[in-house]
Amino acid sequence: MNNNSYYELYEKETPKSSGEYVRIKEEELRALVENIFENNGLSKEHSKIVTDVLVSADLMGISSHGVQRVNRYIMGLKKCCVNPRPEIKVVREIGATAVIDADAGLGHIAGLKAMDLAIEKAKTYGTSLVLVKNSQHFGIAGYYALKAIEKKLIGVAMTNSESLVSYVNTVGKTLGTNPIAIAIPKASLPPILFDAATSIIPVGKVEIYAKEEKELPHGWVLGDDGKVISKDSKKALEMIKNNRASLLPLGGIGEEFGGHKGSGLAFIIDIITGVLSGAAWGIHVGYTVGEKPANVGHAFAAVNIESFMELAEFEKRLEKYIEEIKSLRKIPNADSIWIPGEKAWYTMQTRKKIGIPLHKNVCNELNKIALDSGINERLNCL
Amino acid sequence: MNNNSYYELYEKETPKSSGEYVRIKEEELRALVENIFENNGLSKEHSKIVTDVLVSADLMGISSHGVQRVNRYIMGLKKCCVNPRPEIKVVREIGATAVIDADAGLGHIAGLKAMDLAIEKAKTYGTSLVLVKNSQHFGIAGYYALKAIEKKLIGVAMTNSESLVSYVNTVGKTLGTNPIAIAIPKASLPPILFDAATSIIPVGKVEIYAKEEKELPHGWVLGDDGKVISKDSKKALEMIKNNRASLLPLGGIGEEFGGHKGSGLAFIIDIITGVLSGAAWGIHVGYTVGEKPANVGHAFAAVNIESFMELAEFEKRLEKYIEEIKSLRKIPNADSIWIPGEKAWYTMQTRKKIGIPLHKNVCNELNKIALDSGINERLNCL
């Protein structure tokens, strides 16, 4: 924390093989992706929002939720069920709460509007809860939670998602990875950002392990015979895709290590974001490229620190707590003691300087979409 | 669910050896415990509240948080730092939020008042957040969350607690087990009640394993050399008590299985309940029997379902979701598919009929306290 140069070139997710990756400047990537969305029917404003969420994920080292999703979103727009021109409507608004209908547009658009409303309401009432229904994938939950930081509020964002995770003591893909993000402002940067799926790992991690031919750790994936799958990550990925395996909830299989806790959290988040919002839940939550609108549900909340305590006092207390954490003794082989959100933050600073590493396949895919969309600009993928 | 007789005599925590336990009628236990608190300086009203939380825990099969805590509370009252006659004050109240000073009284007293206020505020504003500082141990978090159910609201309760859990990638007792409880009303009983510590297990589980001389599973407890302790549960308990070991957060050691998620959740809950409320945090949170007031912090929130959706529609949708969960295929050896809170609920029904199993040591201890408190009544501990 005190030695900023230490983190100067830190990356949370370092490209393994430099030959497979190319560094693209943030601005260049933004310009192309914005263009792609605009040329596929989105308004200029909405294109900017979706691009900002995706590029932020890449900057923060969460490439699974970055521009590699563009292809999927464009397919969803072309195939049927993503609405390029959604009219985002507040369909219910009472006191510190509201329900927003995303009109089947990309979740980023309604998500940002809902978070802004949650922030406004928290400034008035001290806290708030805004739900979104009839939405699509909204990218990283942390993006929205961080919006509250800009106003020195605490921000919360949750979403459900297509089913991939097993419910405790059962087999099959029943729950989404249903993440929750909570951002808390600090006196100095970076802010605290807790952003976690309620499964042990996201499916993107199995994809990376399969691609890199790494051994799958025992305890991430459950076969439909009720046995944990390990070692063969390619086979595990294949089985997940063919509905013959699922991700395990945080806490793992059964109850011995708390699988009922991860599964219970995912279930509760689904009830708030899906059941209570009017969206789909569990196995009914759709995918961006599907036969019908995905009907994803989100939830956003904010907390006004000054309703409880002077901001300066809160920041001073929090700084002291973090100092105490930073002075703890590490377990052997741990790289560093991290506060939630630090890794993502330092990765972002690094990538703003040296560019975003894109896998060449993703880079070429974006150029192909640009070509198909009648755009002249190209990324330099060599 | 459909076959109620199946659950008729279900108990979540069945007494292992019938010779060591005695069944006490709920009413009898309540009467004695209320008397004990009254004779140790609490008002009649406060004695009833504390007793209700403790006996509810025993009814629900969470004996670690039940009447076995009476001795500790009485010691805290006698020794120094638990205030028998707290004046619970709302010290800050803005819109949907408030801060309450518990005046160093037992946490149950301020907790109930804070939850009631959170419920009232959620009825007005749709949601709410009430924090409590300068408090003590408040028993089971689920008790407060369930209060919201009675009004058909969603209830949330969190607390910090004395440090027992290691922060990810570090050794030592830094975080509390910092539980979160969320209760959600249903059309029919039981309600949903998610109530989970953010550690893999509570320390009470190590105590039970040590007492029953059971092998400690690998992955619950971390030694201060950074290595996981397994097998010898007596040694593990001894080491925890002597600050030479800690509980691992949900997700376990390191980040491979999500230890940063459990640790991060505990940290965030501590920031809300401790830092933001004005209470202590982390290593500064005291114990009931200490040299100074424990300064525990709690947080309570409620959500008014009808701000988002007609209650009947919500209940219908939730019922459908639960049916879907109940029809899943079990993994081999799983006893049943449980919705969060069902086990506790059926245990409560059972124990209201056949009595609460008290370990004879606890039973005799209560009689000893009754004697010391000048009470004539005794439990039948034979």
Side-chain angles (χ1 to χ4, degrees):
Chain A
M1 284 283 291
N2 297 325
N3 183 1
N4 273 320
S5 65
Y6 173 77
Y7 296 105
E8 213 163 77
L9 290 178
Y10 174 83
E11 283 186 284
K12 183 184 171 182
E13 196 187 49
T14 321
K16 285 286 174 236
S17 146
S18 61
E20 283 181 43
Y21 286 81
V22 57
R23 293 258 173 203
I24 305 289
K25 273 189 192 156
E26 178 194 348
E27 295 70 28
E28 207 185 321
L29 187 59
R30 276 182 195 276
L32 188 82
V33 174
E34 279 175 20
N35 247 333
I36 286 174
F37 283 116
E38 238 186 300
N39 280 28
N40 281 278
L42 267 69
S43 73
K44 192 173 188 67
E45 185 203 348
H46 289 175
S47 300
K48 269 189 184 297
I49 294 170
V50 178
T51 302
D52 193 38
V53 183
L54 293 177
V55 174
S56 294
D58 280 311
L59 283 169
M60 291 162 81
I62 314 161
S63 64
S64 60
H65 287 61
V67 295
Q68 70 113 330
R69 296 252 171 183
V70 171
N71 187 43
R72 245 175 278 187
Y73 292 169
I74 298 298
M75 279 168 71
L77 283 157
K78 283 191 172 158
K79 189 175 177 187
C80 111
C81 300
V82 178
N83 181 359
R85 293 278 170 168
E87 272 189 61
I88 313 296
K89 282 191 217 91
V90 179
V91 291
R92 205 173 170 119
E93 187 170 8
I94 304 169
T97 69
V99 180
I100 286 178
D101 187 322
D103 198 18
L106 288 169
H108 324 64
I109 303 162
L112 186 62
K113 180 164 176 145
M115 190 74 229
D116 283 345
L117 186 57
I119 290 167
E120 283 316 306
K121 285 183 174 294
K123 280 192 207 158
T124 306
Y125 300 105
T127 187
S128 59
L129 181 60
V130 176
L131 304 184
V132 176
K133 65 178 173 181
N134 196 14
S135 191
Q136 304 272 355
H137 192 264
F138 77 176
I140 46 168
Y143 179 89
Y144 309 95
L146 282 174
K147 284 286 157 191
I149 298 298
E150 297 167 14
K151 309 282 196 256
K152 289 286 186 182
L153 269 66
I154 295 172
V156 182
M158 300 180 257
T159 188
N160 64 13
S161 52
E162 76 267 17
S163 57
L164 273 167
V165 182
S166 53
Y167 186 90
V168 63
N169 286 339
T170 72
V171 298
K173 301 192 283 191
T174 304
L175 302 160
T177 52
N178 301 359
I180 177 168
I182 302 168
I184 300 178
K186 280 171 57 228
S188 58
L189 294 174
I192 290 173
L193 175 60
F194 175 81
D195 187 354
T198 47
S199 51
I200 300 174
I201 47 143
V203 72
K205 198 138 189 176
V206 184
E207 288 169 1
I208 291 168
Y209 270 61
K211 220 188 94 201
E212 296 180 355
E213 293 180 357
K214 277 174 75 175
E215 263 202 13
L216 195 77
H218 186 85
W220 286 1
V221 176
L222 182 71
D224 67 357
D225 57 355
K227 287 188 185 129
V228 171
I229 296 168
S230 47
K231 289 185 182 157
D232 192 340
S233 46
K234 275 192 179 169
K235 192 182 152 201
L237 184 63
E238 204 55 34
M239 286 176 74
I240 293 171
K241 284 185 177 165
N242 296 329
N243 295 325
R244 288 174 43 227
S246 57
L247 298 174
L248 277 160
L250 183 61
I253 189 169
E255 301 194 3
E256 190 169 13
F257 291 96
H260 55 305
K261 298 186 182 190
S263 155
L265 266 180
F267 180 56
I268 298 288
I269 289 173
D270 206 6
I271 293 172
I272 306 290
T273 60
V275 178
L276 184 59
S277 73
W281 64 75
I283 53 169
H284 308 291
V285 180
Y287 189 65
T288 317
V289 190
E291 303 296 326
K292 56 177 188 173
N295 199 8
V296 174
H298 321 303
F300 305 89
V303 172
N304 188 0
I305 289 161
E306 299 220 302
S307 297
F308 301 90
M309 179 179 277
E310 298 311 307
L311 180 64
E313 192 190 346
F314 173 77
E315 288 180 337
K316 209 175 119 190
R317 288 162 63 83
L318 185 54
E319 213 61 42
K320 184 149 190 299
Y321 193 175
I322 289 171
E323 273 170 31
E324 289 169 6
I325 297 276
K326 288 284 184 180
S327 69
L328 292 170
R329 194 153 51 80
K330 281 190 292 184
I331 58 173
N333 305 322
D335 62 339
S336 191
I337 300 170
W338 297 101
I339 302 299
E342 278 187 330
K343 286 185 188 181
W345 185 266
Y346 291 117
T347 304
M348 184 158 71
Q349 305 317 312
T350 300
R351 294 185 174 179
K352 277 178 175 289
K353 275 184 208 153
I354 65 170
I356 294 167
L358 281 193
H359 194 278
K360 284 190 177 171
N361 291 351
V362 173
C363 190
N364 288 319
E365 191 177 65
L366 286 173
N367 278 345
K368 173 75 167 55
I369 300 169
L371 174 71
D372 294 347
S373 307
I375 297 165
N376 292 327
E377 287 73 27
R378 297 286 179 273
L379 300 173
N380 185 356
C381 299
L382 292 179
Chain B
M1 285 281 293
N2 297 323
N3 183 1
N4 273 320
S5 65
Y6 172 78
Y7 296 105
E8 212 164 78
L9 291 178
Y10 174 84
E11 283 186 285
K12 182 183 172 181
E13 196 187 49
T14 321
K16 285 285 175 237
S17 145
S18 60
E20 282 182 43
Y21 287 82
V22 57
R23 293 258 173 203
I24 305 288
K25 275 190 192 154
E26 177 194 348
E27 294 70 28
E28 209 184 321
L29 188 59
R30 276 183 195 275
L32 188 81
V33 174
E34 279 175 20
N35 247 332
I36 287 175
F37 284 115
E38 238 187 298
N39 280 29
N40 281 278
L42 267 68
S43 72
K44 192 172 189 68
E45 186 203 347
H46 289 174
S47 300
K48 268 189 185 299
I49 293 170
V50 178
T51 302
D52 193 38
V53 183
L54 293 177
V55 174
S56 293
D58 280 310
L59 284 168
M60 291 162 81
I62 314 160
S63 64
S64 60
H65 287 60
V67 295
Q68 70 114 329
R69 296 252 171 182
V70 171
N71 187 43
R72 245 174 278 185
Y73 293 168
I74 298 297
M75 278 167 70
L77 283 158
K78 283 190 172 160
K79 190 176 177 187
C80 110
C81 301
V82 178
N83 181 358
R85 294 277 170 168
E87 271 189 64
I88 313 298
K89 282 191 217 92
V90 179
V91 290
R92 203 171 171 118
E93 186 170 10
I94 304 169
T97 69
V99 180
I100 286 177
D101 187 322
D103 198 17
L106 288 169
H108 323 64
I109 302 162
L112 185 62
K113 179 164 178 146
M115 190 73 229
D116 283 344
L117 186 58
I119 291 167
E120 281 317 305
K121 285 183 175 293
K123 280 193 206 159
T124 306
Y125 301 105
T127 187
S128 60
L129 181 60
V130 175
L131 304 184
V132 176
K133 65 177 173 181
N134 196 14
S135 191
Q136 304 273 354
H137 191 264
F138 78 177
I140 46 169
Y143 179 88
Y144 309 95
L146 282 173
K147 284 286 158 193
I149 298 297
E150 295 167 15
K151 308 283 196 255
K152 289 286 185 183
L153 269 66
I154 294 172
V156 182
M158 299 181 260
T159 189
N160 64 13
S161 51
E162 76 267 16
S163 58
L164 273 167
V165 182
S166 53
Y167 187 89
V168 64
N169 286 339
T170 72
V171 298
K173 301 192 284 189
T174 304
L175 302 161
T177 54
N178 301 2
I180 177 168
I182 303 168
I184 300 178
K186 280 173 56 231
S188 59
L189 295 173
I192 290 172
L193 175 60
F194 175 82
D195 187 353
T198 47
S199 51
I200 300 173
I201 47 143
V203 72
K205 199 141 187 174
V206 184
E207 288 168 359
I208 291 168
Y209 270 61
K211 219 189 94 199
E212 296 180 356
E213 293 180 356
K214 277 174 76 174
E215 262 202 13
L216 195 78
H218 185 85
W220 286 1
V221 176
L222 182 70
D224 66 358
D225 57 355
K227 287 190 186 127
V228 172
I229 296 168
S230 47
K231 289 185 182 159
D232 192 339
S233 45
K234 274 192 180 170
K235 192 182 152 201
L237 184 63
E238 203 55 36
M239 286 176 74
I240 293 171
K241 284 185 177 165
N242 296 331
N243 295 325
R244 287 177 43 230
S246 57
L247 298 174
L248 276 160
L250 183 60
I253 189 169
E255 301 194 3
E256 190 169 16
F257 292 95
H260 55 306
K261 298 187 182 190
S263 155
L265 266 180
F267 180 55
I268 297 287
I269 289 172
D270 206 6
I271 294 172
I272 305 291
T273 59
V275 179
L276 184 59
S277 73
W281 64 77
I283 53 169
H284 309 289
V285 180
Y287 189 64
T288 317
V289 191
E291 303 295 326
K292 55 178 188 172
N295 200 8
V296 175
H298 321 302
F300 304 89
V303 173
N304 188 0
I305 289 162
E306 298 219 302
S307 297
F308 300 91
M309 180 180 278
E310 297 311 305
L311 180 64
E313 193 191 346
F314 173 77
E315 288 180 337
K316 210 176 118 192
R317 288 163 63 83
L318 185 54
E319 213 62 42
K320 185 150 188 300
Y321 193 177
I322 289 170
E323 274 169 31
E324 290 168 6
I325 297 276
K326 288 283 184 180
S327 68
L328 293 169
R329 195 153 50 81
K330 281 189 293 185
I331 58 173
N333 305 323
D335 62 338
S336 190
I337 300 171
W338 297 100
I339 301 299
E342 277 187 329
K343 286 186 189 181
W345 186 265
Y346 291 117
T347 304
M348 184 159 71
Q349 305 317 311
T350 300
R351 294 185 174 179
K352 277 178 175 289
K353 275 183 210 153
I354 65 170
I356 294 167
L358 282 192
H359 194 278
K360 284 190 177 172
N361 291 351
V362 173
C363 190
N364 287 321
E365 191 176 64
L366 287 173
N367 279 344
K368 172 78 166 53
I369 299 168
L371 174 71
D372 293 346
S373 308
I375 297 166
N376 293 326
E377 287 74 26
R378 297 285 179 276
L379 300 174
N380 186 355
C381 300
L382 293 181

